[in-house]
């Protein structure tokens, strides 16, 4: 069974803290994604990666960075957390086109609260 | 740019009612279209998809038809169940692997 796991379901951090959100997939997928989900706004893409050590900015990268040192792991970093980064964070992965799978597989999400 | 607009929720129906959740999109060319579902406490999972005009995606009794002329991909189900209560997201993909999502529609089915 395909699986995307995220390191925490719930996280509470203080303003100014450095926050790491970890995502691991076991499907040998090339592509990995970080989204944030907010009521009324749907999912918005923060960063994505199409290969190890490669990354591209999504629609809302400000205040975030990412790291992909291994194919199966994609980390989202909040360098200095702020209250407006309180949100649900979702990680996803997908195979490359032409491998018979366009689908993105999602993790269960991490609900981050910054106080 | 590419965008997706869904009908605003929340939507509340009785069991066995007919469901329609509207979705329209803006994109050049021919994007692939998707419906994802998010059950309480879970991540998103693919419900159905269509990759070209007039394609019909279907799964678990849900259907959606890719209408190029109206740029729409409305989700329908003939008889909903309590277990269909969830948040539904319409999305499009054009070119690279990135998806563009609508804002989501929360559906509640009462017994």
């Amino acid at each position: 069974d395909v699986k995307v796991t995220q390191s925490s379901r719930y996280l509470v951090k203080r303003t100014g803290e450095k926050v790491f959100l970890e995502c691991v997939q076991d499907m040998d997928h090339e592509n990995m994604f970080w989204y944030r989900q907010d009521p009324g706004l749907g999912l918005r893409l923060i960063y994505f990666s199409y290969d190890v050590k490669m990354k591209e900015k999504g629609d809302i990268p400000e205040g975030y960075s990412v790291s992909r040192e291994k194919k199966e792991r994609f980390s989202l970093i909040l360098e200095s957390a702020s209250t407006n980064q309180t949100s649900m964070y979702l990680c996803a992965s997908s195979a490359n086109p032409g491998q018979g799978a366009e689908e993105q597989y999602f993790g269960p999400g991490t609900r981050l609260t910054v106080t | 740019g590419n965008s997706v607009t869904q009908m605003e929720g929340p939507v509340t129906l009785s069991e066995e009612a007919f469901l329609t959740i509207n979705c329209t999109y803006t994109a050049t060319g021919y994007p692939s279209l998707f419906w994802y579902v998010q059950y309480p406490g879970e991540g998103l999972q693919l419900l159905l998809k269509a990759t070209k005009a007039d394609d019909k995606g279907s799964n678990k009794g849900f259907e959606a038809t890719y209408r190029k002329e109206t740029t729409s991909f409305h989700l329908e189900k003939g008889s909903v169940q309590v277990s269909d209560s969830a948040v539904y997201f319409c999305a499009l993909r054009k070119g690279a692997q990135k998806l563009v999502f609508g804002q989501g529609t929360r559906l509640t089915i009462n017994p």
Side-chain angles (χ1 to χ4, degrees):
Chain A
D1 198 16
V2 298
K3 206 164 188 182
V4 179
T5 56
Q6 296 184 228
S7 51
S8 304
R9 294 299 300 270
Y10 300 93
L11 210 52
V12 180
K13 296 292 181 181
R14 293 195 181 277
T15 302
E17 279 194 81
K18 190 169 186 176
V19 182
F20 292 86
L21 302 182
E22 305 285 340
C23 175
V24 177
Q25 52 97 0
D26 65 358
M27 295 164 282
D28 201 34
H29 283 166
E30 289 78 14
N31 308 298
M32 296 188 75
F33 308 82
W34 275 107
Y35 297 90
R36 63 177 283 176
Q37 180 181 3
D38 299 290
L41 297 177
L43 274 73
R44 293 179 292 168
L45 183 64
I46 305 171
Y47 267 96
F48 68 103
S49 168
Y50 52 88
D51 202 352
V52 175
K53 297 190 185 295
M54 306 300 287
K55 61 184 179 184
E56 285 199 22
K57 293 179 180 179
D59 300 317
I60 51 164
E62 296 77 20
Y64 303 95
S65 62
V66 291
S67 173
R68 192 162 181 206
E69 297 296 319
K70 294 185 177 181
K71 190 175 185 180
E72 67 271 19
R73 188 179 298 270
F74 192 36
S75 302
L76 179 69
I77 303 153
L78 287 66
E79 294 290 341
S80 178
S82 64
T83 54
N84 63 12
Q85 292 178 310
T86 292
S87 187
M88 172 71 85
Y89 290 88
L90 291 168
C91 176
S93 71
S94 70
N96 278 335
Q99 296 178 11
E102 295 180 349
E103 179 178 356
Q104 287 191 15
Y105 294 86
F106 284 82
T110 296
R111 185 167 293 283
L112 173 67
T113 302
V114 182
T115 61
Chain B
N2 300 328
S3 66
V4 175
T5 302
Q6 294 179 229
M7 67 185 285
E8 288 208 21
V11 174
T12 302
L13 296 171
S14 297
E15 207 165 19
E16 299 184 3
F18 184 87
L19 168 71
T20 300
I21 300 178
N22 290 338
C23 171
T24 57
Y25 68 89
T26 301
T28 56
Y30 297 89
S32 295
L33 300 173
F34 304 82
W35 277 101
Y36 279 81
V37 59
Q38 184 179 35
Y39 298 106
E42 298 182 13
L44 277 69
Q45 45 185 282
L46 180 66
L47 181 59
L48 53 84
K49 67 179 181 182
T51 57
K52 60 183 187 294
D54 299 325
D55 266 2
K56 178 185 282 189
S58 62
N59 186 24
K60 299 182 181 180
F62 290 89
E63 293 183 340
T65 301
Y66 189 140
R67 301 286 188 200
K68 180 66 177 173
E69 63 277 10
T70 54
T71 62
S72 65
F73 193 55
H74 304 322
L75 183 69
E76 296 181 335
K77 186 174 185 182
S79 176
V80 292
Q81 306 299 314
V82 172
S83 57
D84 294 326
S85 297
V87 182
Y88 292 81
F89 292 92
C90 185
L92 69 81
R93 183 183 70 82
K94 183 146 188 303
Q97 285 292 298
K98 293 190 293 182
L99 289 172
V100 175
F101 287 88
Q103 70 269 40
T105 302
R106 182 175 298 278
L107 173 67
T108 301
I109 307 299
N110 294 320

